[in-house]
């Protein structure tokens, strides 16, 4: 029928891959600034981050940390995208972006302190251009678009990047953000880590779209699906999206296809909804393994270096844990003090009332 739109025309989805699982690099697709030295530097960070993630899990099991959302398996997606940002760009993370936040300058001890239940962990140093963690799923892409539009009006040469999962793409606010970004050409990068699950809901039940990237089409801007376990592809796609944003071409949706190797959070048992065979099928695609293989081929890595990076990372993590545990305990009035820049009288009265109530409890 005339005008009928058949979604099967989008049936073929091409995925950008530059660094393959065996460590072979498609040189013609490789961004020139992603030198071997840069790959080596990013690999060191990835090792540190994998160990930091494992340390956080251990701390939770020891009762020294609250619920934690691990990112194991998603290091390339987070490190590659964060490394491609410019100095003035702003990051809007959800709750699984410890690696990206760290790459952007958030101290690991602040991230740990946050998961230990201390809100002070969200008060980042002033020069760090990262918004606080968004626990509500899918709300912060709207903030990223608003921020980007303000920067555009002020003619600041920056972009924003919002991180979210495949589950968030079913939220209304995600679509509102995409629509607004399309209409007003917001310099925003929508970075979806499609890690195949939203807690127990598999990607196949999340959307009938052939890919998440193709959703950008409906909003009038570009999208790309990349191998999210490929550091080079993620870096290249983010860099291009950033250039597009800064040159006035508006938003880009990046779908980084990856896999959450761990549980959704420490409160989750993934064996209830996925098989061990499935997890094992993803292990050869581990984002760390392929960078290491590549560096070994270039004679830029060996077992000795691996061991020294591991030892250095573990030492650093010992200090991180000490510092996180030494964060001062929050006081009850902080919830009132930090709600608004200036405390209105109404809130001040509530605070006084609450503190009096606590005193009464103490007897
Ligand atoms: C608005 C809202 N609804 C529900 C939840 C509970 N919840 C936390 S994480 C999650 C799934 C998120 O999945 P996805 O967006 O794919 O991100 P992932 O956890 O895989 O990184 C849900 C439903 C929440 N935090 N916020």
């Amino acid at each position: 029928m005339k005008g009928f739109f058949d979604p099967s025309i989008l049936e073929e989805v091409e995925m950008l891959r530059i660094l393959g699982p065996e460590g072979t690099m498609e040189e013609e697709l490789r961004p020139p600034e992603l030198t071997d030295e840069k790959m080596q530097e990013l690999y060191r960070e990835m090792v540190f981050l994998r160990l930091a993630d494992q340390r956080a899990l251990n701390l939770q099991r020891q009762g020294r940390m609250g619920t934690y959302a691990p990112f194991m398996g998603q290091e390339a997606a987070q490190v590659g995208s964060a490394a491609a940002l410019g100095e003035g760009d702003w990051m809007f993370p959800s709750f699984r972006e410890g690696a990206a936040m760290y790459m952007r300058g958030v101290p690991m001890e602040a991230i740990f302190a946050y998961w230990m239940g201390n809100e002070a962990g969200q008060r980042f140093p002033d020069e760090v251009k990262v918004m606080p963690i968004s626990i509500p799923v899918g709300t912060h892409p709207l903030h990223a678009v608003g921020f980007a539009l303000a920067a555009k009006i002020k003619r600041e040469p920056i972009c924003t990047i919002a991180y979210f999962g495949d589950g968030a793409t079913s939220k209304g606010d995600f679509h509102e953000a995409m629509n607004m970004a399309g209409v007003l050409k917001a310099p925003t990068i929508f970075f979806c880590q499609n890690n195949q699950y939203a807690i127990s809901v598999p990607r196949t039940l999340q959307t009938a779209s052939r890919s998440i990237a193709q959703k950008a089409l409906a909003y009038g801007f570009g999208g790309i699906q990349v191998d999210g376990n490929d550091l080079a592809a993620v870096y290249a796609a983010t860099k291009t999206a950033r250039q597009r944003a800064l040159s006035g071409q508006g938003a880009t949706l990046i779908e980084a296809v990856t896999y959450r190797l761990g549980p959704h959070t420490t409160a989750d048992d993934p064996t209830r909804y996925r098989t061990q065979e499935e997890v094992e099928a993803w292990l050869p695609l581990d984002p760390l393994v392929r960078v290491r293989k590549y560096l070994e081929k270039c004679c830029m890595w060996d077992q000795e270096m691996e061991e020294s990076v591991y030892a250095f990372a573990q030492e650093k993590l010992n200090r991180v844990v000490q510092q996180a545990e030494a964060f001062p305990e929050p006081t009850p009035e902080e919830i009132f003090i930090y709600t608004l820049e200036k405390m209105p009288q109404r809130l001040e009265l509530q605070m006084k009332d609450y503190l009096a109530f606590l005193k009464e409890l103490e007897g």
Side-chain angles (χ1 to χ4, degrees):
M1 190 190 294
K2 190 166 190 269
F4 178 75
F5 177 79
D6 185 343
S8 68
I9 62 163
L10 296 172
E11 202 57 28
E12 286 301 312
V13 176
E14 252 191 300
M15 183 170 78
L16 176 69
R17 175 179 274 173
I18 299 177
L19 180 64
E22 293 313 317
T24 38
M25 184 81 84
E26 293 272 358
E27 287 296 342
E28 68 280 10
L29 298 175
R30 176 182 186 170
E33 70 277 19
L34 193 59
T35 58
D36 288 347
E37 286 71 26
K38 186 80 186 162
M39 293 287 291
Q40 195 185 49
E41 179 196 319
L42 295 179
Y43 178 67
R44 286 177 201 276
E45 300 288 22
M46 287 167 84
V47 170
F48 171 71
L49 288 161
R50 166 106 8 137
L51 294 175
D53 197 53
Q54 282 168 2
R55 185 70 71 96
L57 271 170
N58 293 344
L59 288 169
Q60 193 278 338
R61 298 301 186 224
Q62 292 165 11
R64 292 159 74 188
M65 189 176 270
T67 305
Y68 174 72
F71 52 73
M72 184 168 67
Q74 299 180 214
E75 292 89 347
Q78 297 194 26
V79 170
S81 54
L85 298 178
E87 213 184 303
D89 300 342
W90 276 84
M91 178 179 284
F92 291 68
S94 72
F95 45 81
R96 202 182 298 287
E97 272 79 49
M101 291 168 72
Y102 170 79
M103 289 300 294
R104 201 75 195 131
V106 178
M108 190 51 80
E109 54 272 21
I111 297 172
F112 274 30
Y114 170 73
W115 290 109
M116 286 172 177
N118 196 327
E119 281 291 322
Q122 292 255 49
R123 218 174 298 137
F124 310 141
D126 281 353
E127 69 280 7
V128 172
K129 295 187 169 58
V130 179
M131 284 290 168
I133 289 172
S134 174
I135 293 288
V137 169
T139 51
H140 56 293
L142 275 170
H143 309 162
V145 171
F147 195 109
L149 289 172
K152 188 175 166 177
I153 291 165
K154 291 195 274 181
R155 296 186 190 281
E156 286 172 1
I158 64 145
C159 71
T160 59
I161 181 165
Y163 288 85
F164 50 89
D166 38 301
T169 66
S170 297
K171 288 280 311 295
D173 28 20
F174 163 74
H175 294 279
E176 290 164 25
M178 295 274 286
N179 189 52
M180 191 155 165
V183 173
L184 298 176
K185 280 202 184 308
T188 296
I189 303 170
F190 293 94
F191 194 89
C192 177
Q193 289 180 83
N194 170 8
N195 65 6
Q196 311 305 325
Y197 286 92
I199 314 185
S200 56
V201 179
R203 153 68 184 85
T204 45
L205 292 182
Q206 197 61 248
T207 175
S209 298
R210 184 67 187 78
S211 79
I212 287 171
Q214 69 180 219
K215 289 179 190 288
L217 267 184
Y219 296 103
F221 56 86
I224 182 168
Q225 188 186 72
V226 302
D227 180 344
N229 287 2
D230 170 355
L231 184 70
V234 172
Y235 180 91
T238 314
K239 198 92 195 172
T240 304
R242 181 174 190 271
Q243 279 156 1
R244 283 173 43 81
L246 266 63
S247 62
Q249 293 174 79
T252 304
L253 170 62
I254 299 175
E255 175 189 1
V257 178
T258 181
Y259 193 76
R260 159 166 63 71
L261 288 172
H264 170 72
T265 65
T266 45
D268 173 45
D269 173 10
T271 62
R272 301 279 296 271
Y273 54 83
R274 66 185 193 187
T275 62
Q276 190 52 27
E277 294 81 68
E278 182 186 297
V279 179
E280 274 164 24
W282 278 87
L283 290 178
L285 302 172
D286 186 315
L288 269 70
V289 171
R290 69 179 76 179
V291 182
R292 181 179 169 173
K293 281 184 177 164
Y294 171 76
L295 290 173
E296 281 172 348
K297 277 188 194 154
C298 305
C299 299
M300 288 191 67
W301 205 257
D302 57 28
Q303 189 55 28
E304 207 178 306
M305 288 168 95
E306 183 85 357
E307 281 163 20
S308 95
V309 165
Y310 268 71
F312 180 79
Q314 295 293 20
E315 280 270 310
K316 186 167 159 181
L317 283 165
N318 293 342
R319 289 195 298 277
V320 163
V321 176
Q322 267 178 5
Q323 286 164 344
E325 288 185 333
F327 261 61
E329 281 274 318
T331 59
E333 54 266 52
E334 284 189 18
I335 193 166
F336 300 95
I337 294 173
Y338 295 114
T339 305
L340 298 166
E341 192 188 359
K342 261 204 191 119
M343 204 187 309
Q345 204 191 4
R346 181 172 42 82
L347 203 56
E348 204 175 323
L349 286 175
Q350 284 181 34
M351 182 175 81
K352 281 189 181 147
D353 193 43
Y354 182 60
L355 292 177
F357 168 70
L358 289 181
K359 227 179 188 154
E360 224 177 274
L361 280 187
E362 279 168 19

